[in-house]
Amino acid sequence: MSYPPVTLKRRKPNVWWRSVVIGLIALVINLPLVNALITSLKTDAAIGLSPFSFDGGLTLEHFTAILGGSGYNFLGFLANSAQISLGSVALIMVIAVPASYAIVRLGFGGSWLLQIITSLRLVPAMFFAIPFFLIFSSLGAYDTIVGLVLANAFINLPLALLIICGTLRELPVEIEEASTIDGAGPFRSLFSIVLPLLAPGLVAVGILVFVFSWSDYLFAVILSASNAVPVTVGAAFFVTSAGIAWGNLAAVTVVSVIIPLSFAFFAQRYLVRGLSAGAIK
Amino acid sequence: MTAPSSLTTRPTIEGRKGSRRRRPANRGPARWILSAPLLVFLALFVAFPIVYGVQSALTSKTLLDPTPTWVGLGNFGAVLTDAGFWHSALFTLLYTVVVTGFELAFGFGLALLFDKDFPGKKFLLSAVILPIMIAPALMGIMFRLLLNSNIGLLPGFLHSIGVDVPLLGAGTVVPMLMGLDVLQWTPFTFLLFHAALQSVPGELHEAAQLDRANYPRFVVSILIPLMVPTIFIAGFLRAIDAFRTFDTINVLTSGGPGDNTTTLSIYIYKILSAGNFGTASAAALIVALIMLPLVPVVVRRITRGAV
């Protein structure tokens, strides 16, 4: 007679209820997005009839309408958002990476500099938006992509510096010391040794800055009028126009949200680390 | 690095602190060159706008009369004696307290649910934190779709059980706006709590089990005291952001009906849109000064571990 092998492992408690409860919570949290997605796929007839109606099945007509032109400048808004976000990421990298190295490794500005910059993020953005508006207007940077890139770089700089400084701080300094002994100056150390090691942190910063620049509404609404309008402001144009085309509006929000979302989803693990490291949005 | 570093004291960090002191000090020119882009940017986009903002707060510059005339503290007096300012300040305060409270409670509860393994954990974590990545202005438009009396899912559902209330009407709009904020930012407090809970050593669970403490007792007597620093920082961060709420409310109600949902940010924006630059700058300066006492508390916690 053979006995089954004796295991000391305790029986795993049944945890499916947790998945079900959290699944329901996730659904509630994402209800606005799910609702917009469903609305964007319904026919105008079904949307007008009732929120539960699916007359005419699913259709992509709203997406072809907003992306195909026909009086909307949605593609222009998308292009503006992309330029503003990418421009902010590029500008922030140029400013924050060398500065972080100087702050953390070369002791520039002590802990004071970073604290002052961090406090900028806590001052209401409206406080800066007004002088920006007045200055940009007199310099001709009002309603330009460059103006919004500068504003978004400004607003995201504290987060970027915090994450990059934090990541740099975690890197063992011994590698750089070794390279210094081998005769590398600080610039050589930064570019050949520190930058490759810093890459994961920089990915996190890049994604966060991209997503938050894409999300900006306050600076966009104050600093743009027609030429540099991004999707956050442009989408709202669809609301105020006489007789709202709900299906098209839903499609507009879905496309505007899906782009940064898929971007963020793609690099999730960097993102969560960056968010919890920076602990500030 | 906020909560995790305060809960786990890794000896390596101390070691690194030591190595920081060994930092070579004779790299003067390099550190100025590397910091130059930052310093130029800060001068142009921080120092200059602050000076400019304070200056315009002291003048009577408007769209119709663009030549600034010195009025001293007159603009501040005008703002502080405006009933609209106090009304929006009160509303902002109420909004901030309510949404921060709910977001802390819900975020903590959700983090507790995530504190054990369960099927589909990774996917559900991604799903739960999704709203953080959505632009608040676009979230506002999605809420318009959700709450519209004719086509909205929520009114449709309420109608089917016999309740007919316009959800964005005067009586219900405030809870709806608060609900939107809670829906969008509970994921943020959750993320902070989740990260902090992961660094609670497992021995504490075992010790509590040995002492036959049940789970609620364990949470109240052990977890919550351990999490106090994280609760504070999450609360501060959310409060600061809720205090300057602008995007969602501007998209959904533009501060109306009447002045019902006018936050301080929207109050300032209305003055700015009317072209009263001097008064708007003064109001913005007052709001910034209200926030100022909180700043050092939060900043010291946030920058810990970064330099």
Side-chain angles (χ1 to χ4, degrees), chain A residues 18-19 29-30 51 104-106 119 121 126-127 162 180 217 239 246 268 271 277 279 281, chain B residues 1 23 27 31 113 119 126-127 131 133 144-145 148 152 185 237 241 244 250 265 285 295 302:
Chain A
R18 232 175 248 269
S19 308
I29 285 180
N30 289 296
V104 174
R105 290 294 199 240
L106 310 178
S119 57
R121 189 67 185 85
M126 192 62 89
F127 175 70
L162 271 179
T180 311
Y217 175 81
V239 175
W246 289 106
Q268 177 114 41
L271 202 74
K281 68 172 193 63
Chain B
M1 284 286 136
R23 176 196 297 134
R27 288 178 167 182
R31 50 193 221 170
L113 279 174
S126 307
M133 310 301 158
R144 265 180 176 258
L145 289 169
N148 181 273
W185 296 116
L237 288 174
D241 266 359
R244 58 181 178 195
N250 199 44
S265 290
L285 199 55
V295 170
I302 295 176

mmCIF file of all heavy atoms in Angstrom, chain A residues 18-19 29-30 51 104-106 119 121 126-127 162 180 217 239 246 268 271 277 279 281, chain B residues 1 23 27 31 113 119 126-127 131 133 144-145 148 152 185 237 241 244 250 265 285 295 302:
data_model
loop_
_atom_site.group_PDB
_atom_site.id
_atom_site.type_symbol
_atom_site.label_atom_id
_atom_site.label_comp_id
_atom_site.label_asym_id
_atom_site.label_seq_id
_atom_site.Cartn_x
_atom_site.Cartn_y
_atom_site.Cartn_z
ATOM 1 N N ARG A 18 -11.364 37.482 -3.641
ATOM 2 C CA ARG A 18 -10.558 38.692 -3.751
ATOM 3 C C ARG A 18 -10.508 39.172 -5.208
ATOM 4 O O ARG A 18 -10.681 40.352 -5.488
ATOM 5 C CB ARG A 18 -9.140 38.399 -3.263
ATOM 6 C CG ARG A 18 -8.630 39.370 -2.232
ATOM 7 C CD ARG A 18 -7.274 38.917 -1.741
ATOM 8 N NE ARG A 18 -7.362 38.499 -0.356
ATOM 9 C CZ ARG A 18 -7.160 39.329 0.670
ATOM 10 N NH1 ARG A 18 -6.870 40.588 0.462
ATOM 11 N NH2 ARG A 18 -7.253 38.902 1.903
ATOM 12 N N SER A 19 -10.276 38.221 -6.124
ATOM 13 C CA SER A 19 -10.234 38.591 -7.544
ATOM 14 C C SER A 19 -11.555 39.177 -7.985
ATOM 15 O O SER A 19 -11.593 40.171 -8.715
ATOM 16 C CB SER A 19 -9.909 37.361 -8.398
ATOM 17 O OG SER A 19 -8.766 36.727 -7.923
ATOM 18 N N ILE A 29 -14.067 51.782 -11.125
ATOM 19 C CA ILE A 29 -13.059 52.833 -11.302
ATOM 20 C C ILE A 29 -12.945 53.227 -12.771
ATOM 21 O O ILE A 29 -12.768 54.388 -13.105
ATOM 22 C CB ILE A 29 -11.697 52.356 -10.742
ATOM 23 C CG1 ILE A 29 -11.724 52.384 -9.212
ATOM 24 C CG2 ILE A 29 -10.563 53.226 -11.251
ATOM 25 C CD1 ILE A 29 -10.436 51.925 -8.567
ATOM 26 N N ASN A 30 -13.062 52.228 -13.646
ATOM 27 C CA ASN A 30 -12.874 52.516 -15.073
ATOM 28 C C ASN A 30 -14.190 52.695 -15.830
ATOM 29 O O ASN A 30 -14.194 52.724 -17.057
ATOM 30 C CB ASN A 30 -12.040 51.400 -15.711
ATOM 31 C CG ASN A 30 -10.603 51.468 -15.255
ATOM 32 O OD1 ASN A 30 -9.900 52.423 -15.519
ATOM 33 N ND2 ASN A 30 -10.162 50.452 -14.516
ATOM 34 N N PRO A 51 -29.265 54.473 -23.139
ATOM 35 C CA PRO A 51 -27.903 54.014 -22.866
ATOM 36 C C PRO A 51 -27.745 52.499 -22.981
ATOM 37 O O PRO A 51 -26.626 52.002 -23.107
ATOM 38 C CB PRO A 51 -27.636 54.499 -21.436
ATOM 39 C CG PRO A 51 -28.924 54.983 -20.894
ATOM 40 C CD PRO A 51 -29.818 55.273 -22.041
ATOM 41 N N VAL A 104 23.639 65.249 -7.315
ATOM 42 C CA VAL A 104 23.846 64.058 -6.494
ATOM 43 C C VAL A 104 25.328 63.726 -6.355
ATOM 44 O O VAL A 104 25.818 63.466 -5.252
ATOM 45 C CB VAL A 104 23.088 62.849 -7.081
ATOM 46 C CG1 VAL A 104 23.414 61.578 -6.319
ATOM 47 C CG2 VAL A 104 21.601 63.113 -7.048
ATOM 48 N N ARG A 105 26.063 63.752 -7.461
ATOM 49 C CA ARG A 105 27.435 63.261 -7.416
ATOM 50 C C ARG A 105 28.462 64.362 -7.159
ATOM 51 O O ARG A 105 29.511 64.118 -6.587
ATOM 52 C CB ARG A 105 27.790 62.563 -8.734
ATOM 53 C CG ARG A 105 27.068 61.245 -8.926
ATOM 54 C CD ARG A 105 27.498 60.209 -7.898
ATOM 55 N NE ARG A 105 27.150 58.882 -8.349
ATOM 56 C CZ ARG A 105 26.328 58.064 -7.684
ATOM 57 N NH1 ARG A 105 25.783 58.451 -6.547
ATOM 58 N NH2 ARG A 105 26.054 56.873 -8.166
ATOM 59 N N LEU A 106 28.159 65.572 -7.626
ATOM 60 C CA LEU A 106 29.142 66.640 -7.454
ATOM 61 C C LEU A 106 28.711 67.628 -6.382
ATOM 62 O O LEU A 106 29.329 68.677 -6.193
ATOM 63 C CB LEU A 106 29.381 67.374 -8.787
ATOM 64 C CG LEU A 106 29.683 66.468 -9.987
ATOM 65 C CD1 LEU A 106 29.844 67.291 -11.259
ATOM 66 C CD2 LEU A 106 30.933 65.645 -9.751
ATOM 67 N N SER A 119 9.395 72.354 -4.316
ATOM 68 C CA SER A 119 8.319 73.198 -3.807
ATOM 69 C C SER A 119 7.597 73.929 -4.937
ATOM 70 O O SER A 119 6.437 74.303 -4.793
ATOM 71 C CB SER A 119 8.852 74.184 -2.773
ATOM 72 O OG SER A 119 9.866 74.963 -3.342
ATOM 73 N N ARG A 121 6.498 72.571 -7.541
ATOM 74 C CA ARG A 121 5.417 71.687 -7.984
ATOM 75 C C ARG A 121 4.199 71.853 -7.076
ATOM 76 O O ARG A 121 3.095 71.491 -7.436
ATOM 77 C CB ARG A 121 5.908 70.242 -7.982
ATOM 78 C CG ARG A 121 4.980 69.241 -8.621
ATOM 79 C CD ARG A 121 4.884 69.504 -10.109
ATOM 80 N NE ARG A 121 3.900 68.629 -10.737
ATOM 81 C CZ ARG A 121 2.603 68.921 -10.782
ATOM 82 N NH1 ARG A 121 2.143 70.009 -10.224
ATOM 83 N NH2 ARG A 121 1.773 68.088 -11.382
ATOM 84 N N MET A 126 -1.765 77.852 -11.436
ATOM 85 C CA MET A 126 -2.403 79.091 -11.864
ATOM 86 C C MET A 126 -1.513 80.298 -11.564
ATOM 87 O O MET A 126 -1.515 81.282 -12.304
ATOM 88 C CB MET A 126 -3.744 79.213 -11.131
ATOM 89 C CG MET A 126 -4.662 80.278 -11.664
ATOM 90 S SD MET A 126 -5.167 80.026 -13.368
ATOM 91 C CE MET A 126 -6.618 79.030 -13.186
ATOM 92 N N PHE A 127 -0.747 80.203 -10.466
ATOM 93 C CA PHE A 127 0.133 81.298 -10.067
ATOM 94 C C PHE A 127 1.160 81.603 -11.160
ATOM 95 O O PHE A 127 1.502 82.751 -11.402
ATOM 96 C CB PHE A 127 0.832 80.944 -8.754
ATOM 97 C CG PHE A 127 1.851 81.968 -8.320
ATOM 98 C CD1 PHE A 127 1.458 83.217 -7.881
ATOM 99 C CD2 PHE A 127 3.202 81.680 -8.379
ATOM 100 C CE1 PHE A 127 2.387 84.162 -7.487
ATOM 101 C CE2 PHE A 127 4.142 82.620 -7.989
ATOM 102 C CZ PHE A 127 3.733 83.865 -7.550
ATOM 103 N N LEU A 162 13.416 64.745 -9.272
ATOM 104 C CA LEU A 162 13.298 63.864 -8.106
ATOM 105 C C LEU A 162 13.590 62.416 -8.473
ATOM 106 O O LEU A 162 14.350 61.735 -7.801
ATOM 107 C CB LEU A 162 11.886 63.943 -7.532
ATOM 108 C CG LEU A 162 11.623 65.000 -6.485
ATOM 109 C CD1 LEU A 162 10.173 64.938 -6.060
ATOM 110 C CD2 LEU A 162 12.532 64.763 -5.285
ATOM 111 N N THR A 180 37.070 57.237 -12.581
ATOM 112 C CA THR A 180 37.847 58.444 -12.301
ATOM 113 C C THR A 180 39.321 58.100 -12.126
ATOM 114 O O THR A 180 40.208 58.802 -12.630
ATOM 115 C CB THR A 180 37.322 59.126 -11.030
ATOM 116 O OG1 THR A 180 35.911 59.250 -11.132
ATOM 117 C CG2 THR A 180 37.936 60.502 -10.853
ATOM 118 N N TYR A 217 -4.052 70.664 -19.086
ATOM 119 C CA TYR A 217 -5.216 71.401 -19.581
ATOM 120 C C TYR A 217 -5.097 72.871 -19.217
ATOM 121 O O TYR A 217 -5.357 73.745 -20.046
ATOM 122 C CB TYR A 217 -6.481 70.789 -18.975
ATOM 123 C CG TYR A 217 -7.758 71.521 -19.296
ATOM 124 C CD1 TYR A 217 -8.398 71.338 -20.507
ATOM 125 C CD2 TYR A 217 -8.335 72.375 -18.364
ATOM 126 C CE1 TYR A 217 -9.576 72.007 -20.803
ATOM 127 C CE2 TYR A 217 -9.518 73.039 -18.644
ATOM 128 C CZ TYR A 217 -10.130 72.849 -19.858
ATOM 129 O OH TYR A 217 -11.296 73.513 -20.140
ATOM 130 N N VAL A 239 -17.752 69.804 -27.089
ATOM 131 C CA VAL A 239 -18.838 69.878 -26.107
ATOM 132 C C VAL A 239 -19.668 71.114 -26.310
ATOM 133 O O VAL A 239 -20.890 71.076 -26.293
ATOM 134 C CB VAL A 239 -18.261 69.879 -24.669
ATOM 135 C CG1 VAL A 239 -19.375 70.092 -23.655
ATOM 136 C CG2 VAL A 239 -17.547 68.568 -24.412
ATOM 137 N N TRP A 246 -22.642 63.181 -29.789
ATOM 138 C CA TRP A 246 -22.119 62.379 -28.678
ATOM 139 C C TRP A 246 -21.202 61.260 -29.127
ATOM 140 O O TRP A 246 -20.194 60.978 -28.490
ATOM 141 C CB TRP A 246 -23.267 61.810 -27.844
ATOM 142 C CG TRP A 246 -23.981 62.857 -27.050
ATOM 143 C CD1 TRP A 246 -25.224 63.374 -27.296
ATOM 144 C CD2 TRP A 246 -23.498 63.532 -25.878
ATOM 145 N NE1 TRP A 246 -25.535 64.322 -26.363
ATOM 146 C CE2 TRP A 246 -24.511 64.444 -25.480
ATOM 147 C CE3 TRP A 246 -22.334 63.457 -25.144
ATOM 148 C CZ2 TRP A 246 -24.370 65.257 -24.378
ATOM 149 C CZ3 TRP A 246 -22.197 64.278 -24.036
ATOM 150 C CH2 TRP A 246 -23.204 65.166 -23.661
ATOM 151 N N GLN A 268 4.773 49.553 -18.139
ATOM 152 C CA GLN A 268 4.168 49.613 -16.814
ATOM 153 C C GLN A 268 5.143 49.497 -15.649
ATOM 154 O O GLN A 268 5.081 50.232 -14.681
ATOM 155 C CB GLN A 268 3.142 48.500 -16.698
ATOM 156 C CG GLN A 268 2.497 48.421 -15.350
ATOM 157 C CD GLN A 268 1.050 48.766 -15.453
ATOM 158 O OE1 GLN A 268 0.376 48.371 -16.374
ATOM 159 N NE2 GLN A 268 0.568 49.520 -14.513
ATOM 160 N N LEU A 271 6.969 52.462 -14.920
ATOM 161 C CA LEU A 271 6.060 53.514 -14.505
ATOM 162 C C LEU A 271 5.712 53.438 -13.031
ATOM 163 O O LEU A 271 5.777 54.427 -12.307
ATOM 164 C CB LEU A 271 4.794 53.358 -15.326
ATOM 165 C CG LEU A 271 3.975 54.579 -15.436
ATOM 166 C CD1 LEU A 271 4.654 55.525 -16.385
ATOM 167 C CD2 LEU A 271 2.630 54.213 -15.949
ATOM 168 N N ALA A 277 8.450 56.026 -6.590
ATOM 169 C CA ALA A 277 9.713 56.636 -6.186
ATOM 170 C C ALA A 277 9.545 58.140 -6.080
ATOM 171 O O ALA A 277 9.988 58.760 -5.122
ATOM 172 C CB ALA A 277 10.808 56.303 -7.184
ATOM 173 N N ALA A 279 6.651 59.657 -5.858
ATOM 174 C CA ALA A 279 5.575 59.873 -4.897
ATOM 175 C C ALA A 279 4.881 61.207 -5.101
ATOM 176 O O ALA A 279 4.454 61.845 -4.180
ATOM 177 C CB ALA A 279 6.070 59.768 -3.469
ATOM 178 N N LYS A 281 2.555 63.403 -8.321
ATOM 179 C CA LYS A 281 2.132 63.383 -9.714
ATOM 180 C C LYS A 281 2.249 64.765 -10.332
ATOM 181 O O LYS A 281 2.447 65.730 -9.625
ATOM 182 C CB LYS A 281 0.694 62.893 -9.819
ATOM 183 C CG LYS A 281 -0.262 63.876 -9.231
ATOM 184 C CD LYS A 281 -1.653 63.447 -9.519
ATOM 185 C CE LYS A 281 -2.604 64.543 -9.237
ATOM 186 N NZ LYS A 281 -2.482 65.738 -10.023
ATOM 187 N N MET B 1 11.231 58.153 -3.144
ATOM 188 C CA MET B 1 11.297 57.143 -2.080
ATOM 189 C C MET B 1 10.669 57.712 -0.824
ATOM 190 O O MET B 1 11.326 58.393 -0.052
ATOM 191 C CB MET B 1 12.757 56.829 -1.776
ATOM 192 C CG MET B 1 13.420 55.952 -2.800
ATOM 193 S SD MET B 1 12.882 54.264 -2.671
ATOM 194 C CE MET B 1 12.647 53.874 -4.376
ATOM 195 N N ARG B 23 32.980 61.973 -1.824
ATOM 196 C CA ARG B 23 32.828 62.576 -3.143
ATOM 197 C C ARG B 23 33.979 63.555 -3.439
ATOM 198 O O ARG B 23 34.321 64.384 -2.607
ATOM 199 C CB ARG B 23 31.507 63.332 -3.178
ATOM 200 C CG ARG B 23 31.270 64.079 -4.445
ATOM 201 C CD ARG B 23 30.170 65.078 -4.211
ATOM 202 N NE ARG B 23 28.899 64.418 -3.885
ATOM 203 C CZ ARG B 23 28.144 64.815 -2.881
ATOM 204 N NH1 ARG B 23 28.512 65.782 -2.094
ATOM 205 N NH2 ARG B 23 27.003 64.210 -2.668
ATOM 206 N N ARG B 27 35.716 69.471 -8.470
ATOM 207 C CA ARG B 27 35.150 69.401 -9.816
ATOM 208 C C ARG B 27 34.335 70.653 -10.098
ATOM 209 O O ARG B 27 33.291 70.604 -10.727
ATOM 210 C CB ARG B 27 34.294 68.154 -9.961
ATOM 211 C CG ARG B 27 35.143 66.898 -10.029
ATOM 212 C CD ARG B 27 34.273 65.683 -10.130
ATOM 213 N NE ARG B 27 35.063 64.521 -10.505
ATOM 214 C CZ ARG B 27 34.529 63.329 -10.702
ATOM 215 N NH1 ARG B 27 33.260 63.136 -10.570
ATOM 216 N NH2 ARG B 27 35.296 62.322 -11.054
ATOM 217 N N ARG B 31 30.578 70.997 -12.407
ATOM 218 C CA ARG B 31 29.241 71.031 -11.842
ATOM 219 C C ARG B 31 28.473 72.270 -12.274
ATOM 220 O O ARG B 31 27.256 72.234 -12.389
ATOM 221 C CB ARG B 31 29.266 70.874 -10.327
ATOM 222 C CG ARG B 31 30.222 71.787 -9.613
ATOM 223 C CD ARG B 31 30.372 71.313 -8.193
ATOM 224 N NE ARG B 31 30.396 72.438 -7.270
ATOM 225 C CZ ARG B 31 30.335 72.322 -5.968
ATOM 226 N NH1 ARG B 31 30.233 71.128 -5.437
ATOM 227 N NH2 ARG B 31 30.354 73.364 -5.194
ATOM 228 N N LEU B 113 -6.703 44.941 0.219
ATOM 229 C CA LEU B 113 -7.193 43.849 -0.625
ATOM 230 C C LEU B 113 -6.073 43.296 -1.502
ATOM 231 O O LEU B 113 -6.036 42.106 -1.806
ATOM 232 C CB LEU B 113 -8.332 44.347 -1.519
ATOM 233 C CG LEU B 113 -9.710 44.438 -0.897
ATOM 234 C CD1 LEU B 113 -10.697 45.080 -1.867
ATOM 235 C CD2 LEU B 113 -10.208 43.057 -0.489
ATOM 236 N N PRO B 119 -5.557 35.294 -7.902
ATOM 237 C CA PRO B 119 -5.446 35.129 -9.352
ATOM 238 C C PRO B 119 -5.673 36.451 -10.076
ATOM 239 O O PRO B 119 -6.570 37.209 -9.725
ATOM 240 C CB PRO B 119 -6.563 34.132 -9.681
ATOM 241 C CG PRO B 119 -6.920 33.484 -8.390
ATOM 242 C CD PRO B 119 -6.620 34.480 -7.311
ATOM 243 N N SER B 126 -2.793 46.756 -12.896
ATOM 244 C CA SER B 126 -2.739 47.675 -14.040
ATOM 245 C C SER B 126 -4.084 48.347 -14.257
ATOM 246 O O SER B 126 -4.158 49.543 -14.512
ATOM 247 C CB SER B 126 -2.359 46.925 -15.311
ATOM 248 O OG SER B 126 -1.180 46.208 -15.112
ATOM 249 N N ALA B 127 -5.152 47.531 -14.163
ATOM 250 C CA ALA B 127 -6.488 48.076 -14.443
ATOM 251 C C ALA B 127 -6.867 49.135 -13.415
ATOM 252 O O ALA B 127 -7.451 50.160 -13.750
ATOM 253 C CB ALA B 127 -7.514 46.946 -14.442
ATOM 254 N N PRO B 131 -6.739 55.095 -14.284
ATOM 255 C CA PRO B 131 -7.231 56.485 -14.340
ATOM 256 C C PRO B 131 -6.158 57.538 -14.087
ATOM 257 O O PRO B 131 -6.304 58.674 -14.541
ATOM 258 C CB PRO B 131 -8.283 56.530 -13.220
ATOM 259 C CG PRO B 131 -8.722 55.130 -13.054
ATOM 260 C CD PRO B 131 -7.505 54.298 -13.325
ATOM 261 N N MET B 133 -3.474 57.835 -15.495
ATOM 262 C CA MET B 133 -2.873 58.204 -16.778
ATOM 263 C C MET B 133 -3.841 58.995 -17.668
ATOM 264 O O MET B 133 -3.473 59.434 -18.742
ATOM 265 C CB MET B 133 -2.448 56.949 -17.559
ATOM 266 C CG MET B 133 -1.630 55.972 -16.771
ATOM 267 S SD MET B 133 -0.140 56.738 -16.161
ATOM 268 C CE MET B 133 0.223 55.659 -14.803
ATOM 269 N N ARG B 144 -19.283 63.645 -18.553
ATOM 270 C CA ARG B 144 -20.427 64.237 -19.248
ATOM 271 C C ARG B 144 -21.232 63.162 -19.972
ATOM 272 O O ARG B 144 -22.455 63.171 -19.954
ATOM 273 C CB ARG B 144 -19.945 65.240 -20.290
ATOM 274 C CG ARG B 144 -19.922 66.632 -19.782
ATOM 275 C CD ARG B 144 -19.443 67.568 -20.871
ATOM 276 N NE ARG B 144 -19.523 68.903 -20.342
ATOM 277 C CZ ARG B 144 -20.498 69.764 -20.630
ATOM 278 N NH1 ARG B 144 -21.432 69.447 -21.494
ATOM 279 N NH2 ARG B 144 -20.531 70.938 -20.068
ATOM 280 N N LEU B 145 -20.510 62.251 -20.619
ATOM 281 C CA LEU B 145 -21.181 61.154 -21.321
ATOM 282 C C LEU B 145 -21.917 60.268 -20.325
ATOM 283 O O LEU B 145 -23.039 59.835 -20.560
ATOM 284 C CB LEU B 145 -20.160 60.301 -22.072
ATOM 285 C CG LEU B 145 -19.488 60.892 -23.301
ATOM 286 C CD1 LEU B 145 -18.339 60.008 -23.731
ATOM 287 C CD2 LEU B 145 -20.496 61.023 -24.428
ATOM 288 N N ASN B 148 -25.006 62.428 -18.574
ATOM 289 C CA ASN B 148 -25.989 63.189 -19.351
ATOM 290 C C ASN B 148 -27.396 62.614 -19.179
ATOM 291 O O ASN B 148 -27.599 61.405 -19.278
ATOM 292 C CB ASN B 148 -25.587 63.159 -20.829
ATOM 293 C CG ASN B 148 -26.548 63.951 -21.684
ATOM 294 O OD1 ASN B 148 -27.563 63.421 -22.130
ATOM 295 N ND2 ASN B 148 -26.244 65.206 -21.881
ATOM 296 N N GLY B 152 -26.881 59.276 -20.808
ATOM 297 C CA GLY B 152 -25.939 58.765 -19.821
ATOM 298 C C GLY B 152 -26.325 57.424 -19.223
ATOM 299 O O GLY B 152 -27.503 57.131 -19.028
ATOM 300 N N TRP B 185 -8.501 59.646 -8.478
ATOM 301 C CA TRP B 185 -7.265 59.725 -7.686
ATOM 302 C C TRP B 185 -7.162 58.739 -6.546
ATOM 303 O O TRP B 185 -6.120 58.662 -5.903
ATOM 304 C CB TRP B 185 -7.039 61.160 -7.206
ATOM 305 C CG TRP B 185 -6.836 62.074 -8.378
ATOM 306 C CD1 TRP B 185 -7.645 63.108 -8.746
ATOM 307 C CD2 TRP B 185 -5.798 62.016 -9.363
ATOM 308 N NE1 TRP B 185 -7.179 63.693 -9.902
ATOM 309 C CE2 TRP B 185 -6.045 63.041 -10.299
ATOM 310 C CE3 TRP B 185 -4.683 61.180 -9.551
ATOM 311 C CZ2 TRP B 185 -5.223 63.257 -11.399
ATOM 312 C CZ3 TRP B 185 -3.870 61.402 -10.638
ATOM 313 C CH2 TRP B 185 -4.140 62.425 -11.549
ATOM 314 N N LEU B 237 -0.261 65.204 -0.403
ATOM 315 C CA LEU B 237 -0.168 65.310 -1.862
ATOM 316 C C LEU B 237 -1.546 65.466 -2.484
ATOM 317 O O LEU B 237 -1.759 66.292 -3.370
ATOM 318 C CB LEU B 237 0.542 64.085 -2.438
ATOM 319 C CG LEU B 237 2.047 64.017 -2.179
ATOM 320 C CD1 LEU B 237 2.618 62.702 -2.669
ATOM 321 C CD2 LEU B 237 2.747 65.177 -2.874
ATOM 322 N N ASP B 241 -3.214 68.853 -4.388
ATOM 323 C CA ASP B 241 -3.745 68.796 -5.748
ATOM 324 C C ASP B 241 -5.243 69.093 -5.797
ATOM 325 O O ASP B 241 -5.716 69.757 -6.719
ATOM 326 C CB ASP B 241 -3.465 67.426 -6.373
ATOM 327 C CG ASP B 241 -2.185 67.457 -7.185
ATOM 328 O OD1 ASP B 241 -1.582 68.541 -7.251
ATOM 329 O OD2 ASP B 241 -1.805 66.423 -7.737
ATOM 330 N N ARG B 244 -6.173 72.774 -5.785
ATOM 331 C CA ARG B 244 -6.061 73.582 -7.005
ATOM 332 C C ARG B 244 -6.831 72.972 -8.169
ATOM 333 O O ARG B 244 -6.528 73.228 -9.330
ATOM 334 C CB ARG B 244 -4.587 73.764 -7.372
ATOM 335 C CG ARG B 244 -3.871 72.449 -7.570
ATOM 336 C CD ARG B 244 -2.418 72.653 -7.901
ATOM 337 N NE ARG B 244 -1.775 71.364 -8.028
ATOM 338 C CZ ARG B 244 -0.475 71.189 -8.029
ATOM 339 N NH1 ARG B 244 0.319 72.214 -7.903
ATOM 340 N NH2 ARG B 244 0.031 69.997 -8.158
ATOM 341 N N ASN B 250 -13.807 72.793 -14.700
ATOM 342 C CA ASN B 250 -13.957 73.723 -15.808
ATOM 343 C C ASN B 250 -14.643 73.040 -16.996
ATOM 344 O O ASN B 250 -15.482 73.630 -17.666
ATOM 345 C CB ASN B 250 -12.605 74.290 -16.224
ATOM 346 C CG ASN B 250 -12.747 75.574 -17.033
ATOM 347 O OD1 ASN B 250 -13.541 76.440 -16.683
ATOM 348 N ND2 ASN B 250 -12.011 75.676 -18.118
ATOM 349 N N SER B 265 -9.034 78.101 -8.167
ATOM 350 C CA SER B 265 -8.400 78.150 -9.492
ATOM 351 C C SER B 265 -9.365 78.696 -10.531
ATOM 352 O O SER B 265 -8.991 79.481 -11.401
ATOM 353 C CB SER B 265 -7.929 76.758 -9.916
ATOM 354 O OG SER B 265 -6.842 76.354 -9.132
ATOM 355 N N LEU B 285 -1.559 85.094 -6.073
ATOM 356 C CA LEU B 285 -0.538 85.249 -5.043
ATOM 357 C C LEU B 285 -1.112 84.901 -3.674
ATOM 358 O O LEU B 285 -0.454 84.228 -2.856
ATOM 359 C CB LEU B 285 -0.022 86.690 -5.063
ATOM 360 C CG LEU B 285 1.329 86.954 -4.393
ATOM 361 C CD1 LEU B 285 2.400 86.054 -4.960
ATOM 362 C CD2 LEU B 285 1.720 88.419 -4.570
ATOM 363 N N VAL B 295 4.159 73.618 2.254
ATOM 364 C CA VAL B 295 5.211 73.217 1.323
ATOM 365 C C VAL B 295 6.438 72.586 1.996
ATOM 366 O O VAL B 295 6.820 71.474 1.624
ATOM 367 C CB VAL B 295 5.607 74.407 0.421
ATOM 368 C CG1 VAL B 295 6.848 74.102 -0.385
ATOM 369 C CG2 VAL B 295 4.443 74.745 -0.501
ATOM 370 N N ILE B 302 9.348 64.362 0.627
ATOM 371 C CA ILE B 302 9.475 63.871 -0.750
ATOM 372 C C ILE B 302 10.939 63.771 -1.174
ATOM 373 O O ILE B 302 11.339 62.807 -1.810
ATOM 374 C CB ILE B 302 8.725 64.799 -1.728
ATOM 375 C CG1 ILE B 302 7.230 64.765 -1.438
ATOM 376 C CG2 ILE B 302 8.955 64.359 -3.153
ATOM 377 C CD1 ILE B 302 6.457 65.727 -2.300
#
